[in-house]
Structure formats: structure tokens, C-alpha cells
Amino acid sequence: MYKIPLFDLNYDKREESAIIETLRSKWISTGPKTQEFESKFAKAINAKFALGLANCTTSLHLALLAVNIKEGDEVICPSLTFVATVNAIKYVDAIPVFADIVSYDDLTIDPLDIERKITGKTKAIIVMHYGGFACDMDKILSIAGKYDLKVIEDASHGPLAEYNGQKLGTFGHVSCFSFFSNKNIGTGEGGMLVTNDESIYQHVKLLRSHGMTTLSYERSKGHSVEYDVVELGYNYRMDDIRATLGIVQLEKLGKDLQKRVEIRNNYIELLRDVENIILPFQNFRSFSSNYIMPVILRQSDSNNRKRVREKLAEYGIQTSVHYPAVHRFSIYTENSVTLPVTEYVSDNLISLPIYSTLTSENIILIIKKLKSCL
Ligand SMILES: *Cc1c(COP(=O)(O)O)cnc(C)c1O
């Protein structure tokens, strides 16, 4: 067990009593709680439509289907992301084309590299708002407009985070959120697909539930007695137990994110004078959800990073790496390219603990130990 974990769930009595209420209602699959979570989530980020799903991976899959990505189409994506972002492209037999990130300071996908990688087969761009720090959406949307490409936002790290005052998840044609237990909103497993396009919304609603025209909840209410199956769909639904947790977590999110801002500021103060460290996003100005607290070791390599992480672990401090570069995984060998910035970051980044109850004493301890390792 670590003395200071990488992450801690922001759960208390509120989640417990809400869950008991839902259990006693005896409706635990997709139903009123899922609808409530969807409408509250859509409202919170100023989007028109939201659909609760089993997880973000299913959301990414349905997003690609909804914007009609097909076999052989090319989709430009980052490599410095969780593998699910890229796997979803393979689910629809499309081809992932990896783009590099901007710099050691800005770990989001590089618009210049996106434009360089566009070919006649390119149909879409998936962006990922790293750690809740927004991608350069002005440039990305202008490229997408110029080449008539669809934009999918993997906003897994960014509920309530913003770009120029607008909430993440409302820039692309369709956006995907994750509520995996260690995300800003944690429901165990869980995801959301968000869009402002009603036809995408209607289509995804079918696809998440076997292509069936009604839900069992609607049938149980006597709203309909029959259904048709009009398209090959999936069972990718969220259930009301998860949605119940999501509703409570969403209510708590604003405060949680404020705490994270304080924690990041605290870290930055202490890290500023550490010479061998790069602090990404130091000049980032929009509101971030601070899902990750990344630092990058200067003049380092993966062995040195491993040594530093092992030392920190000996002191009881859990760290992580967001992320091992996807283009270097075995299954992506045939799509692999050289991405110099992504590769250095992937080899030398350390994610430090961040969660709303992380104390300043613990932050001081983490930095003291980190300095002693360098
Ligand atoms: C967590 C995560 C996912 C996958 O989410 P699941 O809900 O676990 O399927 C996808 N993309 C990113 C960037 C993530 O962090």
C-alpha cells in the first residue's frame, strides 16, 4: 500500500444514500436515473444532447459509427493518450494516423502535424484534451473545416473544463467522456456521448441498445408495447446504479475541481525552482479539470525515469505515466511512425498524485522526495 496514492475517490455518505434509494426503487437498469444524469450532464456543459453509456470506449466506438467512419478511412489521432482512443478507430476497420503533440509544454495534439498528415483518405480527427487541458480547438476546427473532416473529442479528462470560456465536449461533432473510477467523475465503469446534432443523438440512441426502437423502461411504463430492430446495434447502455453515482459526483464536481486548481498551484510554487523538471501547461490560461499532474524530467531517459519512480514508490508515493505512447504498442506496429516529442514525453513523464483531498503537507513531502531523487 502507498502512503500517498495517485488518486483517491471523492466518495462519502451522499453516494451511499443515493445508491440505497435507487436500489429500493427497484429500477436498476437504464431508466429514470440515466435520463436524469444525461440531462444534468448536458446542461452542465451547455450541450444539447447526452447519452449515458457503459464506458468511454463504447462512446468512442459509437462516435465513429455516428460520423460514418468506415473501413479504410483514415482518422488522425494522438499517440499520447489512453489506448482506447485509438482502439476505437480499429473497431470500425479504419486506419489510425498518429500525430505528434505540440511541445514539452503543451501535450495536446499538434494542429500543424494534423495538417501534415491529411491525405485523400482522411475523414476525421480525434482530439484528446490531455489532463483536462484543452487542445487548440480554434486551429483544429479551422483545419477540419478546410478539409471537411469530422471532429471527435475524447474529453475523458475534461468534464467542466474549458477552452476560451466554452466547455470541452461542445466543439466537435461528437464528444466522449469517461466515468471510470479514477476519472474526475467516477462511477466504476461509465461513459457519456455528447452532441449538439439531433440526428447523431437519435442514431446513437439506437446503436447503444441493439438498434431497437424502444427501451425496456419505456415498455414497462406502457409507453410502447412493441419494438423493431432497424440497424445492427450493441448493448452499450449505462445502468441506473451507475447513473445515480454520476448524478452525485456531478453535483460535487465544481468544488472538487476548485480544490484541484489549488493543489496544482501548490505544486507549481514548489516545483518552479526545480531545475531538472519541465512543468507542462504552465502558461495555460483556460479552466482545466486537472485530471493529471504531469512533470517531465529534463535530459533524461526511460531508465532514469524508472529509477525516479521506483525511489518515489519506496517513499510510499504512487506515481503513474500518462501515457506509454500508443504508436509503440505491438498491435500498432503497422501504423507506427516517428513522433519525437511524444516519444520523449512518453519516456520521461511522471504523473504525480492529484485528488481533491491531497493535503499541502503531502505535496511538500512529494516534492521534497522528488528533489532528492533527481
Ligand atoms: C479513461 C480513458 C478512456 C477510456 O475510458 P473507459 O471509460 O475506461 O472506457 C479513453 N480515453 C481516455 C483519454 C481516457 O483517459
Side-chain angles (χ1 to χ4, degrees):
M1 277 301 282
Y2 291 98
K3 265 191 298 208
I4 308 176
L6 183 72
F7 171 80
D8 194 16
L9 267 180
N10 179 5
Y11 269 31
D12 56 40
K13 288 268 181 279
R14 282 172 278 182
E15 280 81 4
E16 290 175 16
S17 49
I19 279 292
I20 288 168
E21 204 181 295
T22 295
L23 296 180
R24 290 184 181 157
S25 81
K26 299 215 173 158
W27 195 276
I28 55 172
S29 63
T30 314
K33 286 293 172 189
T34 303
Q35 280 174 15
E36 183 185 339
F37 185 32
E38 289 167 347
S39 63
K40 285 183 167 167
F41 192 83
K43 188 153 178 256
I45 66 164
N46 300 314
K48 283 202 183 127
F49 307 103
L51 282 161
L53 297 168
N55 52 58
C56 179
T57 306
T58 60
S59 178
L60 288 160
H61 184 190
L62 297 188
L64 286 154
L65 290 173
V67 298
N68 209 21
I69 302 305
K70 294 203 158 67
E71 185 176 354
D73 291 345
E74 291 179 2
V75 178
I76 298 175
C77 61
S79 171
L80 195 74
T81 183
F82 184 57
V83 67
T85 317
V86 187
N87 283 351
I89 299 168
K90 290 261 201 188
Y91 294 166
V92 297
D93 298 313
I95 301 160
V97 176
F98 294 103
D100 211 341
I101 52 174
V102 177
S103 65
Y104 300 154
D105 180 59
D106 178 349
L107 310 184
T108 65
I109 193 165
D110 181 4
L112 291 174
D113 204 30
I114 291 177
E115 193 157 15
R116 255 181 245 127
K117 292 197 166 145
I118 291 173
T119 72
K121 288 187 187 168
T122 310
K123 292 285 156 52
I125 306 166
I126 301 187
V127 302
M128 196 282 273
H129 304 293
Y130 184 100
F133 296 93
C135 300
D136 188 342
M137 292 313 293
D138 279 345
K139 286 201 190 126
I140 290 164
L141 292 177
S142 120
I143 293 167
K146 186 166 151 196
Y147 296 92
D148 193 22
L149 307 176
K150 302 293 187 198
V151 175
I152 296 170
E153 291 176 75
D154 182 340
S156 288
H157 301 176
L160 300 188
E162 296 177 356
Y163 173 77
N164 293 341
Q166 183 182 336
K167 297 279 189 285
L168 302 188
T170 60
F171 290 90
H173 294 88
V174 48
S175 304
C176 307
F177 289 85
S178 173
F179 310 129
F180 182 68
S181 50
N182 67 11
K183 299 287 158 77
N184 293 105
I185 290 178
T187 66
E189 297 281 354
M192 194 74 86
L193 182 142
V194 168
T195 183
N196 284 328
D197 181 328
E198 175 150 25
S199 65
I200 289 181
Y201 167 73
Q202 296 297 351
H203 190 193
V204 171
K205 211 170 165 184
L206 279 177
L207 289 174
R208 79 165 169 180
S209 195
H210 310 284
M212 285 164 65
T213 50
T214 65
L215 277 173
S216 40
Y217 181 69
E218 291 159 347
R219 291 192 297 282
S220 83
K221 292 285 164 204
H223 294 158
S224 47
V225 286
E226 293 177 336
Y227 61 83
D228 189 13
V229 176
V230 292
E231 185 175 1
L232 183 67
Y234 304 86
N235 178 358
Y236 281 179
R237 297 176 305 251
M238 174 177 280
D239 63 66
D240 270 22
I241 299 176
R242 266 39 176 249
T244 300
L245 294 172
I247 292 164
V248 181
Q249 288 270 289
L250 180 60
E251 277 163 15
K252 291 158 72 169
L253 185 61
K255 262 198 188 147
D256 185 285
L257 298 188
Q258 282 308 329
K259 290 293 291 181
R260 284 173 182 264
V261 169
E262 287 167 27
I263 288 163
R264 178 171 164 87
N265 288 340
N266 213 332
Y267 263 125
I268 289 174
E269 279 308 310
L270 296 166
L271 280 165
R272 213 169 247 148
D273 63 337
V274 184
E275 258 177 33
N276 292 324
I277 289 274
I278 302 166
L279 251 174
F281 302 109
Q282 242 198 107
N283 300 312
F284 186 82
R285 287 290 159 259
S286 292
F287 182 68
S288 169
S289 47
N290 289 301
Y291 172 60
I292 296 169
M293 180 63 222
V295 297
I296 302 167
L297 307 179
R298 259 187 228 279
Q299 286 162 347
S300 168
D301 57 27
S302 58
N303 283 328
N304 180 52
R305 194 260 309 269
K306 184 162 178 260
R307 178 189 65 80
V308 174
R309 290 191 64 209
E310 281 168 0
K311 271 273 177 74
L312 289 171
E314 281 170 28
Y315 295 128
I317 298 163
Q318 186 184 15
T319 61
S320 185
V321 173
H322 293 91
Y323 288 92
V326 176
H327 73 286
R328 296 197 291 200
F329 286 138
S330 306
I331 67 159
Y332 289 107
T333 319
E334 67 174 307
N335 309 99
S336 199
V337 280
T338 304
L339 304 171
V341 190
T342 295
E343 286 163 23
Y344 185 85
V345 168
S346 185
D347 285 343
N348 295 290
L349 180 142
I350 299 177
S351 310
L352 299 177
I354 188 162
Y355 46 91
S356 60
T357 52
L358 181 63
T359 62
S360 37
E361 291 74 33
N362 276 342
I363 298 171
I364 291 167
L365 182 76
I366 292 163
I367 299 309
K368 196 175 135 205
K369 296 300 184 195
L370 178 64
K371 278 182 180 168
S372 78
C373 299
L374 293 173

